[in-house]
Amino acid sequence: MFSKEKFQDFLAKLNTGYTPYVLILVHIMIGAIWVYSSPRSNVAFVVFISSLLTLYGLNTNKIFKLSAGLILALVVMPVLGVRNIFYLEIMFQISVFAALSLGLNIVIGFAGLLDLGYVAFYAVGAYLWGFFGSQQFYAIPYAPGIQPSDLPFLLPGDMFYLFIFIAIIVAALTGILLGLPVLRLRGDYLAIVTLGFGEVIRVLANNLDKPWNLTNGPQGITPVQRPTMPQFAVDGFNNFFGGIIGHTVSKADVYNVFFYLLALLVIVTIIQVVSRLNDSKIGRAWTAIREDETAAIAMGIPLVQMKLAAFATGASFAGAMGVLMAASRTFVSPESFSFMQSIGVLTMVILGGTGSIPGVILGAATVTVLNLQILQGFSLYLSQLRQSDAVIPIINFAWKNLSTQLDPAKYQRLLFGAILILMMIFRPAGLIPAARRQRELAADDEE
Amino acid sequence: MKRFSETINVRELLRPIGQMIAFSLGGGAVLSLVVVLLALLLDQTAVGQNLQARYSVSLVTYTLANLPQVLIDGLTIGFVYAAIALGYTMVYGVLEFINFAHSEIFAVGAFVGVEILIALKNAGILSAASLGVAYLILLLALLAGMTASGFLAVAVERIAYRPLRGAPRLVPLISAIGVSFFLQDIIRLVESLTTGQFNRIIPTFGNFDERLIFGQLPLGATTVVLGVQIKSLIVILVAVIMLVGLNYLVNATKIGKAIRAVAQDRPTASLMGIDVNRIISITFLIGGTLGGAAGVLYALKFTRIDPFVGFFPGLKAFTAAVLGGIGNLTGALLGGIVLGLLETFAGAFMSAFTMGAAGAEYKDIFAFGILILVLIFRPNGLMGENVSQKA
Amino acid sequence: MALLQAIDVTKRFGGLTAVNKMNFELKKGEIVSVIGPNGAGKTTFFNTLTGLYRPEEGKILFNGTSLIGLRPDQIAARGIARTFQNIRLFGNMSVIENVLVGMHFHLKQNMVSAILRFDSFKKEELEAEACAYELIKYVGIDTSLSNELAKNLPYGGQRRVEIARALAADPQLLLLDEPAAGMNPQETEEVTNLFRRIRDEKEITILLIEHDMRVVMRISERISVMDYGEKIAEGSPAQIRSNSHVIEAYLGRGAVAGQHEEMVK
Ligand SMILES: Nc1ncnc2c1ncn2[C@@H]1O[C@H](COP(=O)(O)OP(=O)(O)OP(=O)(O)O)[C@@H](O)[C@H]1O
Ligand SMILES: [Mg+2]
């Protein structure tokens, strides 16, 4: 008979010995081949990237995990991504949002401070490079729309790399400036004030086209430069992967691969930084503050200083990602930094598990895929139905008559809202709850 | 007469009216004084010359000419904020929790009211309505908005907040943010499916758009018409009636006493035989009802609504509640009126005083500046009392 | 010189004066108890000493320097550690992490060294871990529980973790707020001995609030009695036992009133 215990036994068996290795490889193969052969299928892509989950979750040794992950990220994904550039875009977005989520996770998950204006720091990074990496400096005297098109660029595109670091510092400083006055506040007030700060940044971005044109207003700044891409890199990529991809890869696509890899690099760095901080007196102090502020301060933890550190660290990640985003899009505009974006990132953190590094990455991936693939896929499907003669049986409603205003791709709020409510009620710790580090305790052997 | 005052506590009816008048006059007078003084000071400077060049009026004339309308507008929006702020403050008083979804409760009220009016218009009833009927119809729309919002607020509490009672503070807050976002898109979904669009405009009917003219004031080259739109008067009047009613309910009835008891000390109130859950539901009902009415009034005043219409009024009303001292009913009144006035003054005069560098486009974030300042310098608000944490 | 000196310390909550002109002195190496009926202001007094509350009036001197106006974390860094009446552990952190948090201001690591994992960082972490582990043993917790979440420990265990966490700060003065509350007689006996060992072996001065008279009488060298925010008596256990004010404060109210009058006679 079927029983829960037997099922769990079965699962446990799947997770021992060589079986997990086989399962992972099979999953990766199926996903990769499927995506390779039908690059437009959404299902195939979901199957493919979920292999990362299998890889993460199943019980295999570290070297296998690491090498499989590396091959997936550095070889398989670029190849598949170039065949359908949309996937590369999704992977890039996942990386960007994962970085933002990891940053917000420090603030919310570790230190327990609800920051509802987090994308403001992202905006700081994006506008920093948006301003210095474009012609905007020379466009200051001109109102939006009337600047001459032949203005020079202020800095060479390769300054991009330097600006990633500058953005880290500037965003961290912004975090400290905002944090200093407000971090003494109670948690729920802090949430509203940060929300306000986020709106302030957005409104400033919208309106600082006068008296001096610093942001070019609602139209945004474009073109923002990318770092240079040498021809040999394009040729090299083609020589190496051209055969298996099946067509010559353009420079634009190599750029996409480049930004994807760069985002990946940033993510890996962030993960390292976050987990190392978490496993030091700083991380312990953050968690202590989250658990009980009064006890923490009585134990000698300087509250404001540690909260500022959390704010600044979280902000710096967003700042770095902002620069990356501005360059990859060659465009910044206030729209990308709305309150909804902040809530989107919050949703990722909550869904994945506050305080849990693998959790928030999963959260970022899930929400991004839901957002970019499922909702948009649904939209596409509806618009196809609208063009057909199909009718809903029983109520006899012709799809044709369905309002064109109904576009599921625009219903992100519904998605975010539903996730937030359901998670809070049913699984407040998230999909992958945070686990405390188990210490080996060398001292144990003494006795 | 004696019997009457025994059953109805006249003092509790008059007190809030007095407070509202005091807050309105006081706030209005102070701000007017400030801008007029500023205008006098800056008239001969570059600021005055800049205005002269742009509009060919002197700064002082400009200020004085705009002042009456600014005061009326400020008060109108101030009373709307106050009505919304009461919803935040009551819930905060009882549960120590920011009902982030209150702004959508407000929006739903606006939509229900407006949809009813649109339906009546499409049925040809609005255009045929006499003045008396028009007022009745407006009342109907108000009541419908109030009912819908009231029950929605109760439902939201039951579904999304009650299961989380006792969880860490941020948990219900995050749930409330979720509800807020969820409801925005639900409104949009329902409107899209049923009407095909989600930006709605309140139909014009009755004489609400007309202006009552009190007189004219010659002012140098220009004459200022002293008048007020009837709908502004309606907004203020309805808000005042509701605020007085609420104050009475909370301070002079048995239910009000129970609400205050639960706000003071929930466990003890529960031991005393008060059904805490019922009182919390009633609190949400009252707050939601006020929010719904504020929604309809807002639509009447600003005519256009969309599913996201609640966001800014909601945040500003929250600011108003904090400004006044959260948990404190009189504070919410004060905060709403002061914030409405401040914001309208800033929106109207900032451009003139900054030589056009910054103007009304910063109106929406102006409130946040105030919020931050209040929280830093007077975190318990203008009227709030000090509550320190117990160790 | 006195280690701790409180002079005319007054703390009010609105109309209520929770601590009223409290004068108090503590010498290095003493074990002193503060007793008094519920609501007497004992915990409030502790909170003013540790900077959680700022007294309206009075002076507090620790090693001769004033503590007034310092933040709680600064006071902790000066060498005063405490436990709480209603245990305040970091429930979702492991036992050993709780203890490590207590060492926060002794650890020299910073963001840079933590991220780059310098050798000095690794060494310090290992030492801290070993030290935390010793403390866990010291307060009598089974070391196999080190990785357990603090909230999963039984009540008595949590009280001990709180003491270990306070000891981790390597204080000169340890404030214990009802450390034996809710313990069974055997546990009470154990922690009483533990307190004495802490004083004797670690040379930490101890000030404790306790309702359990067996603990108080056995361990204290001096007892201070509070009632309605004021110190009504002070002296050796024997003196306090026979002090009529004290008996009145404790027993003079409520059902046992008649019985105690006989006792006084
Ligand atoms: N944060 C506070 N706000 C208002 N009143 C307070 C606060 N903390 C304590 N009190 C009041 O101060 C008085 C003293 O309280 P305190 O907790 O210091 O007493 P205690 O002697 O520790 O009592 P117990 O033995 O019950 O712990 C009590 O009346 C209490 O209600
Ligand atoms: Mg106490």
Side-chain angles (χ1 to χ4, degrees):
Chain A
M1 284 309 305
F2 178 82
S3 75
K4 207 175 163 187
E5 287 79 50
K6 271 196 185 151
F7 185 63
Q8 274 166 354
D9 270 1
F10 174 70
L11 282 187
K13 227 172 252 158
L14 280 188
N15 209 1
T16 43
Y18 287 111
T19 346
Y21 294 88
V22 177
L23 286 176
I24 290 169
L25 287 179
V26 168
H27 191 163
I28 293 177
M29 296 282 267
I30 292 180
I33 292 173
W34 194 356
V35 175
Y36 187 83
S37 54
S38 45
R40 311 241 156 256
S41 158
N42 281 340
V43 188
F45 184 70
V46 172
V47 170
F48 172 65
I49 61 164
S50 62
S51 63
L52 283 173
L53 262 185
T54 339
L55 181 62
Y56 171 77
L58 291 184
N59 182 19
T60 60
N61 74 27
K62 267 206 176 120
I63 296 176
F64 176 79
K65 269 191 190 182
L66 207 65
S67 41
L70 278 179
I71 293 173
L72 264 179
L74 299 184
V75 180
V76 183
M77 194 55 228
V79 167
L80 296 176
V82 171
R83 283 171 60 82
N84 180 356
I85 215 72
F86 180 61
Y87 292 146
L88 212 51
E89 168 64 22
I90 291 183
M91 287 306 290
F92 178 69
Q93 297 237 7
I94 290 178
S95 312
V96 169
F97 283 117
L100 294 180
S101 307
L102 284 167
L104 186 61
N105 182 46
I106 292 187
V107 183
I108 296 183
F110 293 168
L113 309 165
L114 185 52
D115 180 353
L116 296 181
Y118 184 66
V119 294
F121 303 121
Y122 184 42
V124 166
Y127 269 95
L128 194 70
W129 180 238
F131 183 82
F132 288 101
S134 72
Q135 300 142 307
Q136 191 60 32
F137 178 78
Y138 296 103
I140 287 177
Y142 305 98
I146 63 159
Q147 59 265 58
S149 57
D150 56 350
L151 293 171
F153 284 90
L154 180 63
L155 298 172
D158 283 335
M159 292 295 268
F160 162 82
Y161 299 105
L162 177 66
F163 266 76
I164 292 186
F165 293 98
I166 296 182
I168 287 176
I169 294 165
V170 172
L173 287 179
T174 318
I176 291 173
L177 275 185
L178 167 70
L180 266 179
V182 304
L183 280 175
R184 285 163 220 277
L185 300 177
R186 275 241 308 270
D188 39 9
Y189 280 16
L190 179 76
I192 304 289
V193 171
T194 50
L195 191 173
F197 173 71
E199 283 300 301
V200 169
I201 293 280
R202 190 180 59 82
V203 170
L204 282 179
N206 249 317
N207 290 302
L208 279 185
D209 48 358
K210 68 182 175 340
W212 301 286
N213 185 1
L214 298 174
T215 65
N216 213 31
Q219 296 174 23
I221 301 173
T222 193
V224 179
Q225 291 180 95
R226 294 170 154 187
T228 49
M229 172 72 66
Q231 189 57 40
F232 70 80
V234 181
D235 295 340
F237 188 82
N238 268 314
N239 286 339
F240 214 79
F241 293 120
I244 161 166
I245 288 169
H247 61 86
T248 336
V249 181
S250 68
K251 190 166 175 174
D253 283 354
V254 178
Y255 256 122
N256 285 321
V257 174
F258 166 74
F259 278 109
Y260 156 76
L261 291 176
L262 204 58
L264 223 52
L265 181 70
V266 175
I267 287 283
V268 172
T269 316
I270 289 179
I271 293 175
Q272 280 300 315
V273 169
V274 171
S275 50
R276 285 176 175 196
L277 280 181
N278 195 25
D279 198 7
S280 74
K281 81 168 192 181
I282 294 155
R284 291 191 294 265
W286 284 337
T287 315
I289 291 172
R290 185 190 69 198
E291 291 286 305
D292 187 335
E293 282 196 8
T294 307
I297 195 166
M299 291 323 298
I301 291 173
L303 277 192
V304 171
Q305 192 186 322
M306 293 317 294
K307 285 181 177 181
L308 275 180
F311 238 59
T313 314
S316 63
F317 297 165
M321 267 303 166
V323 173
L324 205 63
M325 190 71 172
S328 97
R329 297 289 113 111
T330 67
F331 172 58
V332 282
S333 83
E335 249 173 88
S336 328
F337 311 109
S338 63
F339 177 49
M340 195 176 72
Q341 295 290 335
S342 285
I343 297 300
V345 181
L346 173 70
T347 308
M348 296 167 188
V349 174
I350 299 285
L351 176 69
T354 47
S356 152
I357 294 171
V360 299
I361 295 175
L362 175 66
T366 313
V367 173
T368 311
V369 168
L370 277 175
N371 205 349
L372 286 184
Q373 288 217 282
I374 314 293
L375 282 188
Q376 281 186 9
F378 196 40
S379 272
L380 219 64
Y381 181 65
L382 271 191
S383 70
Q384 279 165 6
L385 276 178
R386 263 190 213 109
Q387 275 152 27
S388 70
D389 287 327
V391 234
I392 303 177
I394 304 171
I395 60 166
N396 223 3
F397 178 84
W399 283 109
K400 243 186 290 207
N401 299 335
L402 190 72
S403 159
T404 49
Q405 290 287 345
L406 187 68
D407 180 0
K410 297 209 177 104
Y411 281 80
Q412 291 149 337
R413 291 159 196 267
L414 194 92
L415 177 74
F416 295 163
I419 291 179
L420 288 179
I421 304 170
L422 293 176
M423 292 309 286
M424 284 300 103
I425 296 179
F426 296 110
R427 211 178 153 87
L431 294 177
I432 308 180
R436 300 307 311 176
R437 182 187 144 196
Q438 297 288 310
R439 284 165 195 272
E440 301 292 329
L441 293 174
D444 220 357
D445 310 330
E446 280 174 22
E447 290 179 49
Chain B
M1 191 60 214
K2 192 157 183 257
R3 283 187 78 100
F4 179 73
S5 63
E6 256 171 26
T7 44
I8 294 192
N9 186 339
V10 179
R11 229 186 109 233
E12 279 305 329
L13 283 179
L14 291 182
R15 196 171 53 96
I17 297 185
Q19 285 168 342
M20 282 187 259
I21 294 176
F23 296 159
S24 309
L25 289 182
V30 169
L31 284 172
S32 305
L33 211 65
V34 169
V35 285
V36 170
L37 275 180
L38 266 181
L40 284 172
L41 275 177
L42 296 176
D43 199 29
Q44 298 307 320
T45 66
V47 177
Q49 284 151 13
N50 177 282
L51 194 81
Q52 191 82 37
R54 273 195 294 163
Y55 302 114
S56 48
V57 288
S58 83
L59 187 60
V60 177
T61 319
Y62 177 88
T63 307
L64 288 176
N66 280 306
L67 206 51
Q69 189 59 44
V70 171
L71 279 169
I72 298 278
D73 285 346
L75 282 182
T76 315
I77 190 68
F79 274 99
V80 173
Y81 290 162
I84 311 172
L86 284 171
Y88 283 108
T89 248
M90 286 195 58
V91 168
Y92 201 94
V94 170
L95 285 178
E96 292 227 342
F97 148 73
I98 299 173
N99 182 11
F100 204 88
H102 192 57
S103 48
E104 277 57 52
I105 306 283
F106 159 91
V108 165
F111 267 92
V112 169
V114 169
E115 284 302 338
I116 284 184
L117 293 177
I118 291 177
L120 290 177
K121 180 187 171 198
N122 292 343
I125 297 175
L126 274 196
S127 49
S130 68
L131 205 56
V133 177
Y135 276 83
L136 274 181
I137 289 176
L138 182 65
L139 185 65
L140 173 81
L142 257 174
L143 290 177
M146 291 165 81
T147 315
S149 292
F151 282 108
L152 180 64
V154 172
V156 165
E157 191 271 329
R158 278 301 271 276
I159 296 167
Y161 306 156
R162 191 170 295 181
L164 304 176
R165 228 178 269 159
R169 282 184 95 79
L170 293 184
V171 168
L173 178 60
I174 291 172
S175 180
I177 294 171
V179 173
S180 165
F181 265 59
F182 188 77
L183 284 179
Q184 284 179 5
D185 261 359
I186 290 293
I187 298 175
R188 176 157 138 171
L189 183 68
V190 171
E191 287 289 324
S192 302
L193 283 177
T194 55
T195 69
Q197 63 191 83
F198 52 80
N199 292 317
R200 304 300 269 170
I201 297 191
I202 196 168
T204 39
F205 68 110
N207 62 351
F208 309 131
D209 285 325
E210 288 167 23
R211 282 166 70 92
L212 288 178
I213 309 291
F214 303 130
Q216 300 196 333
L217 196 73
L219 200 78
T222 48
T223 8
V224 182
V225 182
L226 293 179
V228 48
Q229 260 190 324
I230 291 181
K231 62 185 183 187
S232 294
L233 281 185
I234 294 177
V235 171
I236 295 179
L237 192 73
V238 173
V240 168
I241 293 173
M242 287 192 317
L243 300 183
V244 172
L246 174 79
N247 187 72
Y248 190 80
L249 182 80
V250 172
N251 286 323
T253 65
K254 221 174 139 190
I255 287 201
K257 209 179 214 171
I259 293 178
R260 281 179 292 142
V262 174
Q264 277 275 316
D265 185 344
R266 208 186 311 157
T268 311
S270 156
L271 287 177
M272 296 302 183
I274 294 175
D275 181 348
V276 171
N277 278 335
R278 196 174 132 252
I279 293 301
I280 289 175
S281 287
I282 290 177
T283 309
F284 273 87
L285 182 71
I286 297 171
T289 309
L290 285 174
V296 181
L297 294 177
Y298 183 91
L300 181 69
K301 169 79 183 161
F302 295 98
T303 63
R304 215 194 77 120
I305 55 171
D306 62 52
F308 319 114
V309 71
F311 182 70
F312 276 116
L315 273 174
K316 289 176 194 166
F318 175 76
T319 304
V322 174
L323 180 64
I326 199 148
N328 179 319
L329 296 188
T330 316
L333 265 183
L334 174 67
I337 294 171
V338 168
L339 189 72
L341 282 169
L342 265 176
E343 175 189 298
T344 315
F345 267 80
F349 295 117
M350 202 141 84
S351 171
F353 285 114
T354 59
M355 305 197 254
E361 64 271 16
Y362 291 106
K363 202 179 77 173
D364 281 340
I365 56 170
F366 191 70
F368 293 125
I370 296 177
L371 180 66
I372 294 179
L373 289 181
V374 173
L375 287 177
I376 295 169
F377 294 108
R378 221 185 134 77
N380 298 308
L382 298 174
M383 311 194 84
E385 57 227 68
N386 191 16
V387 276
S388 58
Q389 210 183 0
K390 236 181 154 172
Chain C
M1 188 183 61
L3 177 70
L4 178 82
Q5 221 178 341
I7 303 161
D8 284 339
V9 170
T10 301
K11 173 70 205 170
R12 298 190 191 93
F13 296 110
L16 176 98
T17 308
V19 175
N20 195 4
K21 297 239 185 281
M22 183 75 178
N23 281 293
F24 185 77
E25 234 185 71
L26 199 56
K27 285 193 209 45
K28 206 163 167 36
E30 274 188 307
I31 298 188
V32 176
S33 296
V34 178
I35 63 170
N38 291 112
K42 306 179 295 289
T43 300
T44 307
F45 181 55
F46 266 30
N47 286 346
T48 55
L49 292 181
T50 49
L52 290 176
Y53 295 150
R54 194 185 172 132
E56 273 78 28
E57 290 162 28
K59 281 190 232 162
I60 298 171
L61 302 177
F62 185 64
N63 281 327
T65 57
S66 171
L67 297 182
I68 302 286
L70 294 186
R71 292 191 314 263
D73 55 301
Q74 294 169 321
I75 293 178
R78 298 263 173 117
I80 302 183
R82 69 172 290 176
T83 67
F84 293 88
Q85 181 171 351
N86 43 349
I87 306 177
R88 299 188 84 140
L89 283 175
F90 309 117
N92 287 310
M93 298 174 87
S94 66
V95 168
I96 192 162
E97 279 176 316
N98 267 277
V99 180
L100 285 170
V101 168
M103 296 177 193
H104 181 89
F105 57 87
H106 287 301
L107 299 181
K108 300 215 164 41
Q109 51 185 271
N110 57 31
M111 269 204 168
V112 177
S113 70
I115 291 173
L116 300 179
R117 299 269 137 151
F118 295 144
D119 284 343
S120 60
F121 171 86
K122 290 186 196 151
K123 188 160 161 266
E124 186 182 64
E125 278 287 284
L126 279 179
E127 282 169 7
E129 212 169 87
C131 173
Y133 189 79
E134 285 304 317
L135 282 172
I136 291 173
K137 259 197 281 195
Y138 188 79
V139 298
I141 297 170
D142 186 349
T143 44
S144 64
L145 295 173
S146 299
N147 278 321
E148 194 63 45
L149 291 190
K151 66 177 178 193
N152 295 340
L153 258 59
Y155 194 78
Q158 295 195 10
R159 284 240 178 262
R160 287 168 197 262
V161 177
E162 232 192 352
I163 294 168
R165 184 180 69 180
L167 288 178
D170 195 14
Q172 298 175 50
L173 171 61
L174 182 61
L175 306 183
L176 303 166
D177 197 344
E178 302 195 17
M183 289 188 168
N184 64 32
Q186 193 207 329
E187 285 176 315
T188 307
E189 165 94 30
E190 283 169 18
V191 291
T192 312
N193 292 333
L194 172 65
F195 300 150
R196 196 169 283 140
R197 274 173 54 213
I198 290 175
R199 194 269 308 266
D200 294 345
E201 297 169 13
K202 296 190 182 288
E203 294 173 0
I204 295 174
T205 313
I206 294 179
L207 177 61
L208 83 159
I209 297 174
E210 189 50 69
H211 280 301
D212 189 333
M213 286 306 142
R214 283 166 300 178
V215 181
V216 173
M217 294 303 166
R218 261 192 54 199
I219 198 177
S220 320
E221 281 142 14
R222 203 149 53 82
I223 299 174
S224 219
V225 190
M226 285 183 80
D227 193 21
Y228 290 117
E230 298 186 32
K231 187 166 83 176
I232 57 167
E234 193 166 35
S236 68
Q239 286 168 331
I240 293 300
R241 230 189 301 247
S242 55
N243 184 309
S244 60
H245 290 294
V246 179
I247 300 171
E248 203 172 303
Y250 263 97
L251 305 171
R253 310 166 186 151
V256 280
Q259 183 191 343
H260 118 255
E261 249 137 43
E262 279 166 22
M263 246 171 72
V264 174
K265 282 173 204 162

